[in-house]
Amino acid sequence: MTPADYTRLATERLHACPLCGCATWHAVASQDRAGFPAESYCCSLCGLVFITPRLPAAAYAEFYRDGTYRRVTEQFTGRTPEEAEVS
C-alpha cells in the first residue's frame, strides 16, 4: 500500500474526541510516520492524539487481517515486523 492507495480508502470523519467527546482539538501532524496522509489531532481537554478522518472499523480489521500492515511496516522500516521486535 502506498500513500496514494491510502487516499482512495473509505474514511469517516470524527466530530468529537473519541475518548472524552470534546469538540476542540488542535492539529499535530498532516501525515503519519510512514508518510500516509493521516491527519493527527490532539484533544484540548484530555490530550488524546487521534486521526481524523480515519478508516472505519471494518477497514481497519481488513488492513490487519490481510497483512497489509506487514507490508507497510516493511516499506517504512526496511525490516519485517518480526525483525523489528528483536531489535
Side-chain angles (χ1 to χ4, degrees), residues 7-78:
T7 63
R8 290 189 284 273
L9 298 174
T11 58
E12 59 187 13
R13 184 163 291 280
L14 300 179
H15 300 285
C17 170
L19 183 61
C20 73
C22 179
T24 306
W25 342 306
H26 60 274
V28 175
S30 60
Q31 64 182 27
D32 70 7
R33 66 185 186 149
F36 287 80
E39 300 170 39
S40 297
Y41 294 87
C42 181
C43 177
S44 298
L45 184 62
C46 73
L48 178 72
V49 175
F50 58 95
I51 294 171
T52 189
R54 66 181 184 184
L55 300 177
Y60 272 120
E62 183 61 23
F63 177 79
Y64 289 104
R65 183 178 26 259
D66 76 1
T68 299
Y69 79 96
R70 290 182 176 277
R71 293 185 296 281
V72 169
T73 299
E74 290 170 15
Q75 290 169 348
F76 175 67
T77 66

